[in-house]
Amino acid sequence: MNRSVIFDSPFLLGFEHTRSLIERAAKAAAESYPPYNVEDRGEGGIRITLAVAGFTPEQLEVSVEDRQLTVMGRRDGNAAPTDDAFLHRGIAARGFIRSFVLADGMVVDEASLEHGLLHIDLSRPEPEKRVLKVPIRTRA
């Protein structure tokens, strides 16, 4: 794995997690199936829409682990073969895993399947403002 020179600077201590996020985002960007849109819904809301035609809700899974949103589609491996003779078969019939790296504080509000589109709504609630007062010790 290549290490970025910028994160090896002695002035950026404790940014290993940031490097890991960047690497995960680069890996996720290389995926191409299924196609998706990311929409700004205003006031911190985001909607991710994936084209998942042919998948049922039971074949789809949406999960969040360690700030990574993962959408997985599984096709039944034991489906009966059809006798249909396709002249062209352009609709993908394969499973997939699509990942998105979420910023701190992003939460998944809901996921819904409508007309072959999986909508995942996210929001970023306002963080609670905290002030930490650090005591100053004196040494005699």
Side-chain angles (χ1 to χ4, degrees):
M1 179 178 296
N2 293 338
R3 291 183 59 130
S4 174
V5 174
I6 191 166
F7 288 109
D8 291 335
S9 168
F11 301 108
L12 296 173
L13 302 176
F15 281 87
E16 294 81 14
H17 184 68
T18 304
R19 176 181 37 237
S20 171
L21 285 174
I22 292 170
E23 289 170 355
R24 285 190 343 205
K27 180 181 175 196
E31 301 168 359
S32 63
Y33 176 78
Y36 67 94
N37 293 336
V38 179
E39 180 181 348
D40 183 353
R41 308 276 287 186
E43 297 184 24
I46 293 176
R47 172 174 272 187
I48 299 171
T49 301
L50 292 95
V52 293
F55 283 88
T56 65
E58 294 77 25
Q59 294 172 319
L60 296 168
E61 180 181 312
V62 179
S63 62
V64 178
E65 182 179 347
D66 190 28
R67 294 185 355 195
Q68 181 163 317
L69 169 67
T70 302
V71 182
M72 187 178 331
R74 291 191 189 99
R75 290 290 191 181
D76 295 334
N78 54 2
T82 65
D83 292 332
D84 298 336
F86 289 95
L87 297 178
H88 172 73
R89 189 170 193 151
I91 299 174
R94 64 182 186 270
F96 66 88
I97 297 177
R98 167 72 75 177
S99 299
F100 301 88
V101 179
L102 304 179
D104 279 334
M106 294 293 296
V107 295
V108 176
D109 295 325
E110 72 172 352
S112 60
L113 184 61
E114 180 181 13
H115 304 294
L117 298 174
L118 176 63
H119 302 289
I120 303 169
D121 293 322
L122 304 124
S123 64
R124 184 188 314 218
E126 276 294 317
E128 181 181 307
K129 304 276 189 226
R130 294 187 327 156
V131 176
L132 176 65
K133 203 164 202 171
V134 178
I136 300 173
R137 296 185 343 189
T138 60
R139 297 183 189 224

